[in-house]
Amino acid sequence: MKKKLIVVVIFSIFNLHSSICRADSLDVKVHVGHNIGGTVPLPMPASIRSIDAFRLTPSPCIGANFTFHLSPFTFSVGLYLENKGMDADVTVKSYSMEMKKGASQISGLFTGHVSQQVTQWMLTLPLQATWSPSYAVTFKFGPYFSLLLKKVFSGIASSGYLRQGDPTGPRIEIGNKEGEWATYDFSNEMRTLQWGLSFGLDWQIVRHVGLSANLKWGLSGIFNSDFKTVEQTLYPIYGCIGLFYRL
C-alpha cells in the first residue's frame, strides 16, 4: 500500500506540474528526504525519568513545492507523502497508563520500562510564505495540515509495577520476561487530522539540484481531545533533511 501511495503522489506531482503554465511566475521543486524527530510532551514531565534508547525508523518524506511569484508576494503550496515514526525506550515513574496483561485490562500509574513504537503515514499540505535573498537560497515559513492514512501508537511495559487506580492502589507486578510483560495500543485514539507550523530552507548547490531542510512543529497533539489516559499532550516534532530537484 505504501509503495502504491508513493507512486500516486509522484504521478500527481508531475501531472499537476504539466497542467500548469510554465511561466516565470512558477517555480517547482521535487523533494526527497528523511524525517528525524519524535512525538514528545512539552515540557518533559517529571514522570519520564530518562530516554534510554532512540532508534531511527523508515520515515521518508516525498513530495513537491509549487512556488508562485506574485509581486510583491511569494508563496508556495506543497504536497507530501511522509511517515513520522518513532521507536524509543524510556524509564517512567508514576506514569498514567492503560495496558493489557494476559487477559486482563488494567490501568493506573506505572513505574518501570516502556518500549514505544509510533507510525504516522500521512499526506501533508504545507502553505508557506517564501523569501529568496538569491536565486539559490529560499527560506519558507507557514502552517501545514496532515491527513493520516495509517496510525500506530503501541508498546510494551516491563521491569516494573503498576499501582492500580491511584498511587496507593493495589500493586501489580510487570516483569521483565516475555509472558510477564504488559502491552498497550492507543492507535484508535489518534487524530486523523494534524496541523502545525513548518520552517524550511532550500539551498541550490548545482544546476537544478540542492539541499533542503524543513522542520514541522506539531501544534494539535496526536491524540483526540477526549483521550485522557495519557496525561500529557504529545506533539509530533520532526525535521526532514534531503535533496530537491528544480524543474
Side-chain angles (χ1 to χ4, degrees), residues 187-207:
S187 304
N188 292 334
E189 304 296 338
M190 297 176 71
R191 291 179 183 271
T192 299
L193 180 65
Q194 295 181 3
W195 61 90
L197 295 176
S198 59
F199 314 80
L201 169 65
D202 292 345
W203 177 31
Q204 186 167 316
I205 53 177
V206 297
R207 182 176 176 83

Side-chain angles (χ1 to χ4, degrees), residues 12-18 20 25-31 63-69 75-80 126 128 130 247:
S12 299
I13 290 168
F14 280 98
N15 187 54
L16 181 59
H17 173 258
S18 62
I20 299 176
S25 61
L26 177 66
D27 186 17
V28 183
K29 296 176 181 175
V30 178
H31 290 257
N65 277 93
F66 301 85
T67 302
F68 299 88
H69 304 276
F75 65 93
S76 73
V77 178
L79 178 64
Y80 289 83
Q128 298 172 306
T130 68
L247 300 181

Side-chain angles (χ1 to χ4, degrees), residues 41 45 47 94-97 108-109 223 227-234:
S47 55
S94 298
Y95 192 81
S96 177
M97 291 286 289
L109 300 177
F223 290 121
F227 178 65
K228 304 300 183 183
T229 299
V230 177
E231 297 175 350
Q232 297 82 16
T233 302
L234 302 182

Side-chain angles (χ1 to χ4, degrees), residues 8-243:
V8 169
V9 169
I10 293 175
F11 177 79
S12 299
I13 290 168
F14 280 98
N15 187 54
L16 181 59
H17 173 258
S18 62
S19 67
I20 299 176
C21 178
R22 295 289 299 276
D24 292 338
S25 61
L26 177 66
D27 186 17
V28 183
K29 296 176 181 175
V30 178
H31 290 257
V32 178
H34 192 278
N35 279 323
I36 301 173
T39 302
V40 297
L42 293 175
M44 194 70 71
S47 55
I48 298 180
R49 292 307 178 95
S50 65
I51 299 175
D52 304 318
F54 189 90
R55 294 171 288 272
L56 290 178
T57 61
S59 297
C61 181
I62 301 171
N65 277 93
F66 301 85
T67 302
F68 299 88
H69 304 276
L70 302 175
S71 181
F73 305 105
T74 305
F75 65 93
S76 73
V77 178
L79 178 64
Y80 289 83
L81 173 66
E82 59 180 340
N83 178 39
K84 295 179 180 178
M86 185 179 75
D87 186 353
D89 297 343
V90 298
T91 297
V92 300
K93 183 175 182 179
S94 298
Y95 192 81
S96 177
M97 291 286 289
E98 181 177 304
M99 59 187 72
K100 185 176 181 180
K101 184 181 182 184
S104 301
Q105 194 78 17
I106 55 178
S107 62
L109 300 177
F110 176 69
T111 297
H113 182 82
V114 174
S115 295
Q116 176 69 63
Q117 290 80 42
V118 179
T119 299
Q120 301 176 95
W121 279 99
M122 61 187 71
L123 287 174
T124 297
L125 180 72
L127 306 173
Q128 298 172 306
T130 68
W131 175 61
S132 299
S134 68
Y135 181 77
V137 177
T138 300
F139 296 94
K140 302 175 289 183
F141 171 75
Y144 74 86
F145 303 90
S146 295
L147 177 67
L148 270 70
L149 307 173
K150 181 180 180 180
K151 306 176 290 182
V152 176
F153 189 99
S154 61
I156 297 172
S158 62
S159 302
Y161 61 90
L162 181 135
R163 288 288 187 181
Q164 198 163 12
D166 58 55
T168 61
R171 175 170 168 148
I172 300 174
E173 297 294 331
I174 309 294
N176 57 7
K177 297 179 181 179
E178 187 173 0
E180 299 176 351
W181 301 336
T183 61
Y184 59 93
D185 190 338
F186 303 142
S187 304
N188 292 334
E189 304 296 338
M190 297 176 71
R191 291 179 183 271
T192 299
L193 180 65
Q194 295 181 3
W195 61 90
L197 295 176
S198 59
F199 314 80
L201 169 65
D202 292 345
W203 177 31
Q204 186 167 316
I205 53 177
V206 297
R207 182 176 176 83
H208 296 298
V209 179
L211 301 174
S212 65
N214 294 276
L215 174 66
K216 295 188 181 74
W217 193 291
L219 299 178
S220 59
I222 67 167
F223 290 121
N224 296 319
S225 58
D226 59 352
F227 178 65
K228 304 300 183 183
T229 299
V230 177
E231 297 175 350
Q232 297 82 16
T233 302
L234 302 182
Y235 299 98
I237 302 173
Y238 287 80
C240 181
I241 301 174
L243 301 173

